[in-house]
Amino acid sequence: MKVKKALLIVDVQNDFCPAGALGVPEGDKIIPRINQYIKIFSKNKLPIFVTRDWHPKKTAHFKRFGGIWPPHCIQNTKGAYFHPKLKLPRKTIILSKGMDPKKDSYSACQAEDVNSMSLLDLLKIFGIKDIYIGGLATDYCVKYSAVDILKNGFKVKVLMDAIKGVNLKPEDSEDAIRGMVRMGAKKITLECLLTRRKKCP
Ligand code: VGL
Ligand code: ZN
């Protein structure tokens, strides 16, 4: 039986792209590649999930209220919108996280859709076993999401050509990738997905 797959694109929002409040260097460079993955999943009628960081104006996540971050991804502001180059099909399932003014949340497993369904609920309903994950940032939300999803018994493929890290310390992204792999994630690229070569990165 074919294992059912889904694509999960994390936080490709203006504030996480260069010029944004928490811009990931070259974060926007991965968008054309993400769009290619989206096309493939779309063609194969596989679900596409996207997360967005979606904060209230006042939250303990921001420095002013006790957290560590400058204000970013405030609900219904330009910084919180998806990058204009990201091409989301109509059927994309949008999951929001970070709405609780008292809590930090970095993992897609803490995100919910318009009906307050969590990612894990939705994966179960769709019968998905295998999650392909890309987006921003490798060393934060992508890492936390991948690890959480793995812990819940799903398989994870990391889209090596469709992630970008913050690298507060230069080795952060590499460490994050190593950590995800240690937990059981596999690394793939578009090329190795399309050519079905046995050898992925
Ligand atoms: C995130 C920084 C601040 C993330 C959220 O989800 O990666 N990073 N808020
Ligand atoms: Zn945030």
Side-chain angles (χ1 to χ4, degrees):
M1 200 180 68
K2 242 178 102 182
V3 176
K4 200 161 167 199
K5 304 173 173 78
L7 183 64
L8 173 63
I9 300 300
V10 170
D11 294 6
V12 181
Q13 293 165 272
N14 290 320
D15 270 345
F16 290 126
C17 289
L22 267 180
V24 177
E26 305 192 323
D28 54 339
K29 292 256 171 81
I30 59 172
I31 298 174
R33 183 45 57 98
I34 290 177
N35 287 335
Q36 289 177 297
Y37 281 108
I38 289 175
K39 246 191 190 161
I40 293 166
F41 277 75
S42 214
K43 254 190 209 146
N44 287 287
K45 301 198 163 32
L46 293 166
I48 297 163
F49 299 97
V50 297
T51 63
R52 61 183 183 185
D53 212 25
W54 196 245
H55 298 304
K57 270 195 223 133
K58 290 184 191 169
T59 162
H61 184 65
F62 295 163
K63 264 182 209 150
R64 260 191 75 192
F65 307 101
I68 61 167
W69 303 106
H72 62 277
C73 298
I74 294 170
Q75 293 164 11
N76 301 305
T77 63
K78 187 181 168 208
Y81 294 149
F82 294 114
H83 191 285
K85 289 210 177 107
L86 184 66
K87 292 195 188 124
L88 297 179
R90 201 171 30 82
K91 280 182 154 180
T92 303
I93 298 163
I94 297 174
L95 300 151
S96 307
K97 65 183 166 66
M99 291 84 80
D100 187 333
K102 295 191 196 72
K103 268 195 229 151
D104 276 336
S105 53
Y106 299 104
S107 159
C109 293
Q110 292 164 300
E112 51 185 47
D113 75 356
V114 279
N115 303 310
S116 303
M117 296 280 281
S118 71
L119 176 66
L120 294 174
D121 289 339
L122 291 164
L123 294 177
K124 281 172 202 155
I125 291 169
F126 280 90
I128 289 161
K129 302 274 192 287
D130 218 345
I131 326 299
Y132 289 65
I133 180 168
L136 304 170
T138 313
D139 33 359
Y140 291 94
C141 197
V142 170
K143 175 180 78 175
Y144 287 110
S145 301
V147 167
D148 237 2
I149 293 167
L150 285 162
K151 278 185 185 160
N152 281 280
F154 297 90
K155 289 187 179 169
V156 169
K157 307 268 195 307
V158 182
L159 310 178
M160 296 300 292
D161 47 359
I163 53 176
K164 204 59 113 184
V166 180
N167 292 325
L168 287 183
K169 281 192 254 118
E171 64 280 12
D172 280 354
S173 287
E174 277 172 42
D175 284 349
I177 291 162
R178 258 197 303 277
M180 293 187 266
V181 169
R182 203 180 313 118
M183 292 288 298
K186 298 269 184 299
K187 301 193 269 186
I188 70 154
T189 59
L190 188 69
E191 195 198 9
C192 95
L193 181 73
L194 290 179
T195 57
R196 295 176 195 277
R197 275 185 304 143
K198 282 265 157 57
K199 271 226 170 267
C200 277

